[in-house]
Amino acid sequence: HEGPVAFRYPRGEGTGVALPAKGSPLAIGKGRVVRGPEGAKVALLSFGTRLPEALKAADMLEAKGIAVTVADARFAKPLDEALIQQLLVSHSVLLTLEEGACGGFG
């Protein structure tokens, strides 16, 4: 790639799916929908280490009868504009979650 590249990884144990026997490359600049029922009104878009909190918040909202989609942005640059646009069009509310850095993802 042209220009600088940075890798982020957890300092301790990571959370998420079990590691496969053989890894596969991530598409640079592409996020992913982690979970989400069809017709959910609320979308949570996580960046960085806040995915577990987004999933916990979704559990709490779903216990109150509010369907929630949870997405993992994975990249701040390049930003997955198609994923964000899809979440905006298909949900009434979109909340972003991040570490809270000044000038950050949100």
Side-chain angles (χ1 to χ4, degrees), residues 28-48:
I28 293 177
K30 296 294 177 193
R32 64 186 175 135
V33 173
V34 177
R35 79 174 194 204
E38 195 68 33
K41 299 286 186 202
V42 176
L44 303 177
L45 179 60
S46 170
F47 176 71

Side-chain angles (χ1 to χ4, degrees), residues 21-102:
K22 181 178 179 183
S24 60
L26 295 176
I28 293 177
K30 296 294 177 193
R32 64 186 175 135
V33 173
V34 177
R35 79 174 194 204
E38 195 68 33
K41 299 286 186 202
V42 176
L44 303 177
L45 179 60
S46 170
F47 176 71
T49 61
R50 297 296 169 226
L51 184 58
E53 284 82 3
L55 292 167
K56 286 178 191 174
D59 288 339
M60 292 169 65
L61 290 167
E62 288 175 355
K64 295 181 181 273
I66 301 169
V68 179
T69 296
V70 178
D72 182 4
R74 288 186 168 172
F75 297 89
K77 287 186 179 183
L79 193 58
D80 189 346
E81 293 181 26
L83 173 63
I84 295 170
Q85 200 59 3
Q86 180 243 330
L87 293 171
L88 286 169
V89 169
S90 59
H91 297 80
S92 298
V93 176
L94 173 63
L95 299 169
T96 60
L97 291 85
E98 66 166 319
E99 283 84 8
C102 185

